[in-house]
Amino acid sequence: MMSTSLIIPAILLLASLIALGFTLSQLQASRRQLRILNARRIAAQSNIQKRRMELQEVRNRAKLLEDTVSGGTSAVEKVHRAISSTTFGLIDLFSRDEEFRQSARKARETHDQTSKTVYKTVRTTNKALHILADTLIIGKAEKQLASKKPGASDTSETGK
């Protein structure tokens, strides 16, 4: 009788150890799957952040280009105005013929008005091109980024 009273607890103890071993192996497998899932989540977030940063870089470059053209236009306009003012001023100062002076003054008015119109047109065109590029290129890229589902693979980057 004594031997059967020891066998039953031993069997129960062995069954408990087997169940504990199985539970530990399941826990280890779950942890491994959780690490893989977490790594994939981080990679997906990293890709989204990378696309956002690339989009911001495109925006910044477009704005820099617009500002460069605008600043360059202003610099050229100032130099142009200084040269024309000097030229017309010298003609007005040194010309002995009053008729020639009057003709030069009219030419200066026409020149200054035309110059203002040209530089205004350059600035307007520059802004319009920036808006167009923003709408066509950046807007399209933003829509693509917004439509991407987290974790969805990007076939254009992987080549699949």
Side-chain angles (χ1 to χ4, degrees):
M1 281 247 175
M2 183 128 166
S3 63
T4 57
S5 64
L6 288 178
I7 293 178
I8 292 178
I11 291 175
L12 289 175
L13 182 62
L14 182 61
S16 296
L17 285 175
I18 291 172
L20 181 63
F22 179 75
T23 303
L24 288 176
S25 70
Q26 290 298 312
L27 177 64
Q28 190 175 25
S30 295
R31 284 184 176 173
R32 187 174 328 128
Q33 290 297 324
L34 186 60
R35 281 194 302 269
I36 290 169
L37 182 63
N38 196 30
R40 288 181 181 164
R41 182 189 58 81
I42 290 170
Q45 288 294 330
S46 177
N47 285 336
I48 290 170
Q49 187 62 27
K50 179 182 173 194
R51 285 191 191 99
R52 286 180 182 154
M53 293 300 290
E54 289 170 351
L55 185 60
Q56 187 62 40
E57 184 177 344
V58 169
R59 276 194 204 109
N60 290 341
R61 286 182 182 198
K63 183 66 177 154
L64 179 63
L65 181 61
E66 180 186 16
D67 292 346
T68 301
V69 171
S70 179
T73 302
S74 294
V76 169
E77 181 181 21
K78 287 176 184 175
V79 170
H80 185 189
R81 196 176 316 134
I83 291 170
S84 68
S85 294
T86 302
T87 303
F88 286 117
L90 289 174
I91 290 171
D92 198 38
L93 183 65
F94 291 114
S95 177
R96 292 186 180 140
D97 184 6
E98 187 59 36
E99 188 179 322
F100 183 72
R101 251 191 235 164
Q102 289 300 325
S103 178
R105 286 179 187 151
K106 287 181 183 177
R108 181 178 190 171
E109 287 177 19
T110 303
H111 173 269
D112 290 347
Q113 187 60 37
T114 303
S115 295
K116 284 180 185 178
T117 302
V118 167
Y119 290 115
K120 183 178 178 183
T121 302
V122 169
R123 285 188 189 90
T124 303
T125 303
N126 183 39
K127 286 181 184 180
L129 287 174
H130 179 73
I131 291 168
L132 181 65
D134 187 51
T135 302
L136 293 178
I137 299 168
I138 297 172
K140 181 180 176 183
E142 284 176 336
K143 285 179 186 176
Q144 286 177 346
L145 181 63
S147 68
K148 293 269 184 207
K149 294 180 182 169
S153 64
D154 187 358
T155 57
S156 64
E157 287 182 12
T158 58
K160 293 182 182 177

